Amino acid sequence: MPLVFILSGCAKPFWRGYGDTGLSRDAFEVYVEQVFRFQNRLTNEVMLLSLRSEDLNQYNDIFLAEHKMHEICSPLNEYVAKIMDNQNAGLLLMRRVERSVMPCEQAAQYVDLLLKHLD
């Protein structure tokens, strides 16, 4: 049975943790959820910003950063959508989430920084 795990690429998480974080599976799942909620909150804030402003050109940097965040976070968002629809996310998607969750968090932090400079 261990040979099946090694051949499928599933053994890696058991030896050094998930993704670049090195976290256990449970801790990684918590981290993924935190990053998802963070970037989702920022998306809502940017949406509200665009609804309450008449001159959207002044927020181009924020809109561009938010768009880039969505591109980077797309594996995470796809993963969460599948989980919410009770679908199997699959190993390949989980690997994409592992590789993208830290860059997603960094992109979200940049959007957050831009939004904080508006205050």
Side-chain angles (χ1 to χ4, degrees):
M1 186 64 136
L3 182 59
V4 173
F5 286 121
I6 292 171
L7 292 176
S8 70
C10 295
K12 180 180 161 188
F14 298 115
W15 289 319
R16 64 172 205 133
Y18 282 83
D20 294 333
T21 62
L23 297 172
S24 69
R25 180 182 176 99
D26 290 341
F28 185 73
E29 287 176 2
V30 169
Y31 173 61
V32 166
E33 182 178 347
Q34 289 171 341
V35 172
F36 173 77
R37 289 179 185 273
F38 180 47
Q39 63 96 26
N40 194 44
R41 178 180 58 82
L42 294 171
T43 297
N44 290 335
E45 287 182 31
V46 171
M47 185 172 39
L48 289 173
L49 178 68
S50 67
L51 291 175
R52 65 176 183 236
S53 177
E54 293 180 21
D55 181 18
L56 297 180
N57 289 330
Q58 64 182 327
Y59 304 121
N60 278 342
D61 290 346
I62 294 172
F63 296 143
L64 289 173
E66 190 231 3
H67 179 73
K68 184 169 178 90
M69 178 185 73
H70 277 285
E71 289 176 354
I72 293 169
C73 297
S74 66
L76 175 60
N77 291 323
E78 181 182 347
Y79 171 77
V80 171
K82 285 189 178 286
I83 298 301
M84 291 176 70
D85 290 340
N86 292 320
Q87 296 179 357
N88 183 356
L91 182 61
L92 293 178
L93 178 56
M94 190 58 193
R95 292 291 184 228
R96 288 181 30 228
V97 171
E98 284 182 47
R99 290 189 305 271
S100 67
V101 69
M102 287 182 76
C104 174
E105 181 183 29
Q106 292 167 347
Q109 287 172 347
Y110 182 65
V111 172
D112 190 40
L113 180 69
L114 293 174
L115 287 169
K116 285 180 180 175
H117 278 100
L118 292 177
D119 296 335

